[in-house]
Amino acid sequence: DTLIFVDVDGVVNVGLRDDDVAAPLLLSESSVEMVHGYLATDPAGGPHLDNCAKILSGRERLADAVSPGSTELAPLLLARLARIVEAAGPRCSVVLASSW
């Protein structure tokens, strides 16, 4: 028997670290759209400029791992996890956990 423990943070989605206190910023298409909307109303970025820059930079660097729409699941990362589970065989159990 095989038991796989997965802390899904960063395994099925990408979170961009804002600081040590706040929760990571989710890298998703809805986050990118929200940033574009925010910058359209305040081109200077206001107090959220750093977060906007992190999301846009993440979108550029990690384009294949962006979660579509408002989902929190990146298809590329889900496919990788599925391959690991499949390779573990039919007697595999998976425990998913999250610290978010």
Side-chain angles (χ1 to χ4, degrees):
D1 291 352
T2 303
L3 180 60
I4 299 175
F5 285 93
V6 180
D7 180 351
V8 297
D9 304 331
V11 174
V12 296
N13 58 32
V14 174
L16 305 169
R17 179 61 61 191
D18 180 24
D19 58 40
D20 290 336
V21 178
L25 304 167
L26 179 65
L27 184 58
S28 68
E29 287 299 335
S30 63
S31 296
V32 172
E33 290 171 11
M34 184 174 60
V35 165
H36 286 299
Y38 184 76
L39 292 176
T41 59
D42 184 2
H48 303 290
L49 181 60
D50 287 343
N51 289 348
C52 291
K54 287 176 186 173
I55 290 173
L56 294 178
S57 174
R59 171 71 172 98
E60 183 177 317
R61 291 180 296 115
L62 304 166
D64 291 341
V66 176
S67 301
S70 61
T71 72
E72 295 186 9
L73 305 172
L76 172 69
L77 301 180
L78 282 174
R80 289 179 180 173
L81 178 58
R83 285 196 304 269
I84 291 169
V85 171
E86 184 177 37
R91 296 180 50 92
C92 172
S93 295
V94 180
V95 176
L96 302 177
S98 175
S99 59
W100 278 25

